Each structure stands twice: as structure tokens, then as C-alpha cells.
Amino acid sequence: MAAIIAMVFGVYQYEVKRQQQIDDARIQVEIGIMQFKQKDYEGALQTLRATPEVGIQDWRNPYYQGVSLVQLNNYEEAVVALEEAWSLNQADEDIPFALAVAYFKLGNLSLAKSYFHAVTKLNPENADAKGLMDIMANLERIQPGETAADVTPPDESKEDTSQ
């Protein structure tokens, strides 16, 4: 009987310790988010990266790591973190928006457009995503040797016959 009580007590202690670790990890994520909102991107990144992995699947940790990395112009690492956040949460339009920006900065217009499209699927009213998709479509029409100023937007290419 004493062995059973000792075993049950051991399991209880393990669960209490594990719950404390989970609570501490959640608090650390909140601190990292607060640092990000205060524009302390280096501090946020450091805090979020130091968050112990204790079995919680909080999409906010990789998301805020990714957007901190975007702010620090480290787009290659940003897409890795943001892709992880996207795999954990495909309902928040901010994640594909950040991915689209990062891929655009890396020069991958195709992936950037696809993530902006994902934003508009989640929120058809997102004017920023729509506008940026239009800009990228215009950029794709630029031929080698041309500049953006050389490309006539589609609506302006028609002659005005109203005169």
C-alpha cells in the first residue's frame, strides 16, 4: 500500500511541476510579445527563443519570432519561424501577411502572392493584401531591362476616346 501511495504522490508531483513549467513558458511568451509591441525586436527574439519547449503548441511564439526577424531584416530565418506559426494556426490573417512580406523581401513574388491570396481568403476586405497583390502583378509584367516606371498600368493602357 505504501508503494502505491508513493507512486501516486510521485505522479502528482510530476504533474504539478509540469504544469508550472507550462505556466512559466506561457508567461515568457507573453513577455516576448510585450517586448515586440514595445519595438524591442532583439529582446523579443531573445526572450521567445529562450522559452522552454514543454509540450505547448503556442503559434504566437514562432509568429512573434518571425515578425521580429522581419523587423530586423532577417527574412530567411523569418520565413522558417512564420511557416511554423502558419502550420500551427491557419486562421489568423496576420501570419500569411507576414509570410508574404518576408517572401517579397526575398524576391519570391510567386510565394508572396500566394500568401497574400491566403490573406484575402481569410479576410476578403483586407485592402492592404489586395493592393500589394496588384503591385506584384504589375512587377511581374516588367520585362528584363524595363523599370516599374516603364510599365503602363492596365487601366491606363486604353486610349481615352471620350474627347
Side-chain angles (χ1 to χ4, degrees):
M1 184 67 161
I4 293 174
I5 292 172
M7 185 175 70
V8 168
F9 184 69
V11 169
Y12 171 76
Q13 284 182 315
Y14 171 80
E15 288 300 321
V16 167
K17 183 179 179 182
R18 179 164 165 65
Q19 187 59 50
Q20 184 62 48
Q21 290 172 333
I22 290 171
D23 293 344
D24 291 347
R26 286 190 175 126
I27 290 168
Q28 194 158 342
V29 169
E30 294 297 334
I31 291 169
I33 292 169
M34 184 175 55
Q35 289 171 305
F36 176 85
K37 290 180 179 180
Q38 294 171 346
K39 300 185 188 317
D40 178 10
Y41 306 120
E42 290 281 353
L45 193 56
Q46 185 177 12
T47 299
L48 293 165
R49 284 182 169 168
T51 302
E53 302 227 1
V54 289
I56 59 170
Q57 294 281 324
D58 190 342
W59 63 271
R60 298 173 312 153
N61 188 323
Y63 170 73
Y64 281 99
Q65 283 187 51
V67 291
S68 293
L69 287 161
V70 167
Q71 293 296 323
L72 297 169
N73 300 322
N74 186 341
Y75 306 113
E76 291 87 5
E77 284 187 49
V79 296
V80 173
L82 291 166
E83 291 283 3
E84 180 183 348
W86 184 235
S87 73
L88 294 171
N89 178 1
Q90 295 196 351
D92 189 305
E93 70 187 86
D94 291 340
I95 300 169
F97 193 95
L99 273 162
V101 169
Y103 278 118
F104 179 80
K105 292 290 193 171
L106 289 171
N108 190 332
L109 294 182
S110 170
L111 275 175
K113 276 181 28 182
S114 102
Y115 280 110
F116 280 130
H117 181 70
V119 172
T120 61
K121 282 213 173 259
L122 291 169
N123 178 4
E125 303 302 314
N126 190 313
D128 291 334
K130 288 178 184 178
L132 290 167
M133 283 177 62
D134 289 343
I135 289 169
M136 284 186 287
N138 286 334
L139 288 174
E140 287 180 325
R141 284 194 282 277
I142 297 175
Q143 297 299 314
E146 289 183 323
T147 66
D150 297 330
V151 177
T152 305
D155 295 332
E156 295 177 19
S157 63
K158 300 174 188 164
E159 289 188 29
D160 185 7
T161 57
S162 61
Q163 296 175 352

